[in-house]
Amino acid sequence: MSVNFNKDSVFNLKEIKLDSIRKDVAGLLIEGEEAVMAFHSVRDQLVFTNYRIIAIDIQGVTGTRKAFTSLPYARIQYFTVQTPGFGELFPDTELFVMFSNRFTARFEFKSKSDIGKIARLIGNNALK
């Protein structure tokens, strides 16, 4: 599933090492900003920095066209974390992020993702 915010959702995110982040992201970072965690779906990536969430939507057959979406923590109104229940067939964790303009982004992470670290990152930056 691609990073498609028209549907407000990003599914099947798996954590990746920070050195695996697309080189394009470095050009978007502002002074003092650094990547903290990164995830990918089949082709797309989601990067959590100390200031925002950057979604990279790889488009087209060759993947040369990319759409970058910046979701600043300063615009987050509230967020919700939903952990898997006991014995669920697909034990994924979900993160719902609601922004001040009423936009809601939904992210579904694979079971081994550290959702607590993500929640602390958002909380530490959105609650300032």
Side-chain angles (χ1 to χ4, degrees), residues 31-74:
E31 185 177 329
E33 184 176 21
E34 57 188 54
V36 177
M37 295 180 81
F39 298 84
H40 75 99
S41 60
V42 176
R43 289 175 26 156
D44 305 322
Q45 290 186 344
L46 191 68
V47 179
F48 289 84
T49 77
N50 52 328
Y51 295 142
R52 60 185 161 166
I53 303 167
I54 300 172
I56 304 112
D57 181 7
I58 309 301
Q59 303 171 351
V61 176
T62 62
T64 55
R65 182 175 174 174
K66 300 169 208 75
F68 296 87
T69 302
S70 176
L71 305 167
Y73 298 133

Side-chain angles (χ1 to χ4, degrees), residues 1-3 9-16 39-46 90-94 106-111 113:
M1 177 61 126
S2 66
V3 178
S9 300
V10 182
F11 297 103
N12 299 322
L13 292 165
K14 296 177 186 172
E15 191 165 5
I16 57 173
F39 298 84
H40 75 99
S41 60
V42 176
R43 289 175 26 156
D44 305 322
Q45 290 186 344
L46 191 68
F90 302 104
D92 296 332
T93 300
E94 294 179 85
R106 178 175 163 251
F107 305 104
E108 182 181 288
F109 299 91
K110 288 306 199 183
S111 59
S113 299

